[in-house]
Amino acid sequence: MGDEGAAMPAMESIAPAHHVDVGRESKTTPEVKVKSGSNQTGTETPSGFRGHMTPSRRHSLDLDDYFAGPMELGRHSKLPMFMRMHGSVVPQMIVPLLCVGAWSTLITCISFYFYELKVNTVLLTVLGFVVGLALSFRSSTAYERYSDGRRCWITLVIQSRNLARYIWTHVQEREGEVGKEDLLGKLTGINMLLAFAISLKHKLRFEPYAHYDDLADLVGHLDTYANAAFDPELLVPEKVTPWKRIGCYLGIPFAESNPRKILKRAKKPVGNLPLEILNYLGAYIEGANRNGSLNPVLYGQMLASLAALTDTMGNCERVLTTPLPIGYNILISQIVLLYVYLLPFQLYGPLKWITIPGTIAAAYIILGLALIGDELEDPFGNDVNDLPLDQYCQEIALDLDTITSRPAPAFTEFTGHHDNKVLWPLSTSSFHDWNSRSVADIRSALKSKIVINRVSTSDGGVSTAVGTQSSKASKPRSAQSV
């Protein structure tokens, strides 16, 4: 405890405290940065290290929390699936279902009081087959894009881990004061991996600049077009009227803004920030190779991982910029609406007044499938059913922090450890115990290990560490002598 207490003042002096107003109280707390438009935050810890976007744990009934933003992977609901609303497309179906209900009520009233507007149900069968094919095609193509997007991001995660491991473990730190520069250079290179993932997330959401709270501190030292194109007017939040906000929740097209409007309003070239970050990362790898701190054999492996990140960025852009051709979308929408609005004419004959709820129920099913396809077509957005890119970036940040939390391990540090049971489960003896024996004894024990594993497998049991009486009784003499 004494050592920890002595270390705390030095740690606290690294990052100055900031005053944050909470309600009517003013508290002195470390700097807290909140990413606008998401439920993620980034914190500056008292030790001066950057905390990576921990997910918010608010439990409010605000519509922004419930109907907007990708779902958190860690959330768990105990409600049955059919009762859940978070992630449902029901809010977007309110207006269409009201229109369908009004239409079916009008047709039913006219048919009951004035003149029967009904057709043969054969039309229902024929059109139903066409609508089923259209919705099946729409859903399969939309989910394929969703799956491709997830596949791209898992590739990004894998290559980020590979490059971080290469940099941290295989880039050597030279002796003397230069070694400190090598250490900070390695951290700079690894931070650029995180910056690439976050900048790609913003690029896929048509946010091309570098002033966002989860990105600014990572790329502020880089000379990029995104930094040069920054305009203070971008910090002024856009005013959204209550009617427009409600219209966005209800999925009304007239209320939705053009997602590319930020790109269109740019006064300077915004460049391609993820690509520029890869250029700087490649320059770091090249510098490490030239100063002799990087093994030339691994130099090619790192360049291959860098190329894989470029491929991943291109695949994400392919998913984003090549949606289903507009002609298909228009025709499928027209077919669905035509079928739904023809339902009252076909259902009135056998159902009479039940035509109204019957039409609404059928429209709920058909329009729901169509709306889900529309929502999944762009898997990188901020809809509830989109990929949680913020959490994927958190996972990358956590992986990178895990890799850099300790010095690169030396071979002798863990091989000669007293808990290193090199022949487990055959023997619980440590590395030092076996090191005192001959090579012939070690190889003989390895042969016995094969026999024991085969016996354990044939008996249906799981091989465990030796030392119990039951395991010794089932072993051959060669194994017991070990």
Side-chain angles (χ1 to χ4, degrees), residues 423-439:
L423 289 179
W424 188 91
L426 174 69
S427 171
T428 57
S429 298
S430 67
F431 175 89
H432 294 290
D433 295 334
W434 282 102
N435 193 33
S436 63
R437 304 189 184 188
S438 65
V439 175

Side-chain angles (χ1 to χ4, degrees), residues 441-453:
D441 290 340
I442 298 175
R443 297 194 181 278
S444 176
L446 290 174
K447 293 181 180 179
S448 301
K449 189 177 179 181
I450 293 292
V451 176
I452 293 175
N453 287 336

Side-chain angles (χ1 to χ4, degrees), residues 55-57 59 70-77 388 391 394-395:
S56 173
R57 296 301 178 190
H59 297 281
M71 297 183 67
E72 295 181 9
L73 297 177
R75 296 188 63 174
H76 173 69
S77 177
Q391 296 188 50
Q394 293 171 27
E395 293 176 357

Side-chain angles (χ1 to χ4, degrees), residues 363-379:
Y364 176 84
I365 298 172
I366 297 170
L367 296 178
L369 291 174
L371 287 174
I372 290 176
D374 292 337
E375 190 168 314
L376 294 182
E377 191 173 30
D378 177 11

Side-chain angles (χ1 to χ4, degrees), residues 294-309:
L294 177 62
N295 190 321
V297 176
L298 291 174
Y299 176 66
Q301 295 289 338
M302 296 175 73
L303 291 184
S305 295
L306 202 63
L309 290 179

